[in-house]
Amino acid sequence: MEKIKLYPYQEDAVSNAVRMLSERGNSLIVAGTGAGKTIMLSSVIGRFFYGFQAAAGRKPHILVLVHRTEIHGQNFKKFSWVYPEIPVSEVTASRKSLHGYVHFGMVQTVCGLLEDFAQAGSFFDLIVIDECHHSAAATYAAIIDWNRRGKPEASLLGVTATPNRGDKVPLIHLFDNFYQITTRFLIDSHYLVRPTFIDCSPEFTLPPKKGKTSGEVLEKGHLSKNCKFDEEGYALIRKLCATYLNKKAPGKSVIFAPSHKFCEAIFAELTRLGRKPAYLSKNIPEDMRKDEIDRFEHGNADELINVDISTEGYDYPPIRNVVDFDTNGTHGQWIQKVGRGLRTCEGKTGCMVLDFGGNIDLYPQGVDTEVNLIGVVKNPREQHLSEEDLFRSHEANDKSTAEYQENPSGYEFTPYNPPQGFETVSDKHYGVVFVSCGSVHDCIILKAQGTDNTYHVFLGDKKELFAHDSGTFDDCVKKGTAWCGAIEADPARTISRLQTRLLAPEFATSALTWYGANCCICWKTWRGVIGKMTEEIQNARSLA
């Protein structure tokens, strides 16, 4: 049986998916990079396996489809670890076997074997698609349609971080429900590190648009067309590389470029500067590719340069910098790239996102996406969408996660842009709360239950909470800031062993700084008191 204890948010997602597979025959898990999609996928498969066996009196056959070797290897190894007692097999170019009950296949290989499977009567009770935003592709569609003809009652599970396709092709014909775990929730709950976005994008002056005689146009980023490979272009690349080295945080960097020629120019410049970058070149042989990745992860290379090979399915938690010279065609591509730097590891409490392609302006919604399974379909029939989002903004003007700002005159703070000195803490009952923990004063802000934009602020010293007020988030933050004073927390100071003992396992501690841990301890200390105070507030309101 399952040998791993899931985080509460993972347990909720897995339980919902298993229930939807039973009730509706399909389920989609939308989870930000770093949420543990592989673990959740494995858990759903295992629970489906044993549930099917108990109900049908036989063991099911399950097909897990991916489009990249790295994702295939991760899924195969992780499932075999979580459920070692369930026999598995692989259907790849080098291994073709249907022995066992859970079959991990590369979509290209499986698609070419459908006739052989049909002759053997090998249809599947459940098909699982990782990175299922690709499931509208012809190869996936062929496999799903083929299996439905042979086994109409078969179920379908999808997992992805970015369900909205750039071409707006809908997924509603495959999935009529989804469960979403947002990246904002994962960051604010400290399951992921908090990113700092820095816009380094150059601006280009373009000639007037066709048909116009005046009016020069300014364009940000789009280096693939605005940076030519001439003397001026190479000078710009040298300048951009210098900016990268000046802005980056200490540690490893994954660098995305719009073309291999651009990769080669970056590689040449960083090498000239005495660095030893790894580069996943075009048509690189598999053995050399592994050597370059190994040199990046364990050797003398601090940069991994690529076009898009590392966008999906590449997980190396120590990455401290995500550097993008490309201008992404879809929000999903941008999210996937940023996600490479969000995973936690020892000593890592944040990551830098250096944008040279104008992506921050293009995608102001940041690291999350509003799920739209309908795509371009009009008036869909039998539409049944359900959503479980653990922390969604209902405020249209909220900026993206973690883009902290100074407090300019007239600036309004939002839950996604609190001032420095406030830390987010996730609580099962109260949701995400905001804590400022000073040397002598404390401030705690939480949303008033049953409201959209009303918050409670609690102020106190280290002995008691003795003040309460309500208002907008901005009102509460400003009152808390005035009470606690300016707090400058050292982001490089990591959590101590004592703090870890006081917080784990109730709170995720891997991405906490020393100050963040203090805020979690502060919330843990006052949670019971605030519970009584909020109950009194609600009772008073009901009487009024």
Side-chain angles (χ1 to χ4, degrees), residues 339-351:
R340 299 312 104 198
L342 299 184
R343 292 181 183 273
T344 63
C345 70
E346 185 176 358
K348 176 183 174 184
T349 57
C351 80

Side-chain angles (χ1 to χ4, degrees), residues 190-504:
H190 311 293
Y191 293 107
L192 298 178
V193 300
R194 192 175 294 278
T196 298
F197 293 89
I198 299 181
D199 192 347
C200 307
S201 307
E203 290 188 346
F204 298 91
T205 302
L206 306 182
K209 291 184 178 180
K210 188 175 181 181
K212 294 186 178 182
T213 57
S214 63
E216 291 182 335
V217 178
L218 282 178
E219 186 171 59
K220 201 171 186 179
H222 294 276
L223 292 166
S224 59
K225 67 174 181 178
N226 292 323
C227 180
K228 308 300 181 183
F229 293 103
D230 52 18
E231 184 176 346
E232 187 179 25
Y234 283 113
L236 175 60
I237 292 174
R238 289 194 295 271
K239 180 180 178 180
L240 298 182
C241 287
T243 301
Y244 151 67
L245 292 173
N246 181 52
K247 299 286 188 181
K248 70 181 288 291
K252 302 281 187 176
S253 305
V254 60
I255 297 177
F256 297 96
S259 68
H260 281 287
K261 193 165 185 178
F262 210 102
C263 285
E264 291 166 1
I266 296 171
F267 179 85
E269 175 60 14
L270 293 180
T271 301
R272 186 186 71 81
L273 294 172
R275 306 183 72 81
K276 296 179 172 58
Y279 169 35
L280 302 183
S281 59
K282 188 176 183 180
N283 299 322
I284 185 172
E286 185 65 22
D287 57 342
M288 291 181 63
R289 182 176 180 281
K290 290 180 178 178
D291 288 344
E292 285 294 273
I293 291 177
D294 184 70
R295 192 164 66 84
F296 172 64
E297 294 181 354
H298 307 292
N300 59 359
D302 283 334
E303 288 87 16
L304 178 64
I305 305 171
N306 73 110
V307 173
D308 63 359
I309 296 177
S310 299
T311 306
E312 296 175 359
Y314 178 67
D315 298 324
Y316 181 56
I319 289 173
R320 292 293 309 278
N321 303 280
V322 176
V323 187
D324 199 357
F325 290 91
D326 195 11
T327 302
N328 293 280
T330 68
H331 183 216
Q333 290 174 328
W334 175 236
I335 290 175
Q336 290 280 8
K337 289 178 178 179
V338 172
R340 299 312 104 198
L342 299 184
R343 292 181 183 273
T344 63
C345 70
E346 185 176 358
K348 176 183 174 184
T349 57
C351 80
M352 302 290 289
V353 181
L354 305 180
D355 176 27
F356 291 88
N359 297 287
I360 292 173
D361 282 356
L362 276 176
Y363 306 112
Q365 60 269 56
V367 293
D368 277 324
T369 182
E370 296 285 342
V371 179
N372 176 20
L373 301 182
I374 302 171
V376 295
V377 173
K378 296 181 179 179
N379 301 321
R381 297 179 180 179
E382 299 297 324
Q383 178 190 347
H384 301 282
L385 300 181
S386 65
E387 178 177 3
E388 295 287 344
D389 184 343
L390 302 179
F391 185 33
R392 178 174 297 285
S393 165
H394 295 285
E395 302 178 34
N397 293 325
D398 278 359
K399 291 178 179 283
S400 53
T401 298
E403 291 185 62
Y404 285 109
Q405 298 187 12
E406 298 298 324
N407 188 9
S409 177
Y411 179 76
E412 182 175 349
F413 291 112
T414 73
Y416 296 143
N417 273 309
Q420 291 193 13
F422 277 86
E423 184 59 78
T424 54
V425 183
S426 178
D427 185 89
K428 186 70 174 178
H429 178 70
Y430 293 97
V432 174
V433 300
F434 302 82
V435 181
S436 180
C437 182
S439 57
V440 294
H441 289 161
D442 294 332
C443 169
I444 295 173
I445 299 173
L446 53 87
K447 179 174 282 191
Q449 292 186 359
T451 68
D452 285 336
N453 298 308
T454 301
Y455 289 79
H456 297 310
V457 57
F458 300 89
L459 307 176
D461 54 25
K462 299 300 178 181
K463 296 179 180 179
E464 63 175 334
L465 292 179
F466 50 80
H468 162 264
D469 204 348
S470 299
T472 66
F473 184 83
D474 184 64
D475 292 336
C476 293
V477 162
K478 288 173 180 174
K479 288 173 183 175
T481 301
W483 175 251
C484 292
I487 297 175
E488 294 186 7
D490 182 2
R493 187 176 180 183
T494 56
I495 186 172
S496 70
R497 292 182 180 179
L498 174 59
Q499 290 173 319
T500 301
R501 286 199 299 271
L502 291 173
L503 293 173

Side-chain angles (χ1 to χ4, degrees), residues 13-304:
V14 168
S15 298
N16 180 78
V18 173
R19 185 173 69 254
M20 289 297 101
L21 288 175
S22 174
E23 295 177 4
R24 308 191 65 83
N26 71 89
S27 186
L28 172 62
I29 297 176
V30 179
T33 300
K37 292 191 293 294
T38 307
I39 286 291
M40 290 188 283
L41 177 148
S42 298
S43 295
V44 174
I45 294 172
R47 295 184 193 185
F48 178 92
F49 180 90
Y50 286 113
F52 186 99
Q53 183 180 15
R58 68 174 179 85
K59 296 177 180 179
H61 281 270
I62 300 169
L63 176 64
V64 184
L65 290 173
V66 299
H67 70 297
R68 287 195 171 170
T69 304
E70 294 84 4
I71 305 174
H72 166 81
Q74 291 170 16
N75 289 344
F76 182 82
K77 291 177 182 177
K78 194 65 65 73
F79 182 83
S80 299
W81 176 67
V82 177
Y83 288 99
E85 76 280 7
I86 299 178
V88 297
S89 69
E90 294 182 81
V91 186
T92 65
S94 58
R95 297 187 183 94
K96 298 180 178 66
S97 171
L98 287 182
H99 295 292
Y101 296 100
V102 182
H103 317 287
F104 292 83
M106 296 293 293
V107 63
Q108 302 89 338
T109 304
V110 172
C111 192
L113 295 173
L114 295 183
E115 290 186 8
D116 296 335
F117 291 166
Q119 291 177 4
S122 299
F123 297 97
F124 304 97
D125 300 290
L126 171 66
I127 291 181
V128 181
I129 303 177
D130 199 352
E131 303 294 351
C132 72
H133 50 285
H134 295 291
S135 58
T139 48
Y140 285 98
I143 296 169
I144 294 168
D145 292 343
W146 165 85
N147 196 64
R148 280 177 173 169
R149 290 194 297 271
K151 187 159 289 190
E153 71 280 10
S155 297
L156 182 66
L157 172 69
V159 181
T160 183
T162 53
N164 301 337
R165 291 172 56 91
D167 57 11
K168 293 186 166 55
V169 172
L171 298 181
I172 191 67
H173 63 295
L174 299 176
F175 307 102
D176 62 15
N177 65 91
F178 65 91
Y179 187 107
Q180 183 174 20
I181 302 165
T182 67
T183 302
R184 283 183 175 130
F185 163 77
L186 296 169
I187 292 171
D188 286 326
S189 304
H190 311 293
Y191 293 107
L192 298 178
V193 300
R194 192 175 294 278
T196 298
F197 293 89
I198 299 181
D199 192 347
C200 307
S201 307
E203 290 188 346
F204 298 91
T205 302
L206 306 182
K209 291 184 178 180
K210 188 175 181 181
K212 294 186 178 182
T213 57
S214 63
E216 291 182 335
V217 178
L218 282 178
E219 186 171 59
K220 201 171 186 179
H222 294 276
L223 292 166
S224 59
K225 67 174 181 178
N226 292 323
C227 180
K228 308 300 181 183
F229 293 103
D230 52 18
E231 184 176 346
E232 187 179 25
Y234 283 113
L236 175 60
I237 292 174
R238 289 194 295 271
K239 180 180 178 180
L240 298 182
C241 287
T243 301
Y244 151 67
L245 292 173
N246 181 52
K247 299 286 188 181
K248 70 181 288 291
K252 302 281 187 176
S253 305
V254 60
I255 297 177
F256 297 96
S259 68
H260 281 287
K261 193 165 185 178
F262 210 102
C263 285
E264 291 166 1
I266 296 171
F267 179 85
E269 175 60 14
L270 293 180
T271 301
R272 186 186 71 81
L273 294 172
R275 306 183 72 81
K276 296 179 172 58
Y279 169 35
L280 302 183
S281 59
K282 188 176 183 180
N283 299 322
I284 185 172
E286 185 65 22
D287 57 342
M288 291 181 63
R289 182 176 180 281
K290 290 180 178 178
D291 288 344
E292 285 294 273
I293 291 177
D294 184 70
R295 192 164 66 84
F296 172 64
E297 294 181 354
H298 307 292
N300 59 359
D302 283 334
E303 288 87 16
L304 178 64

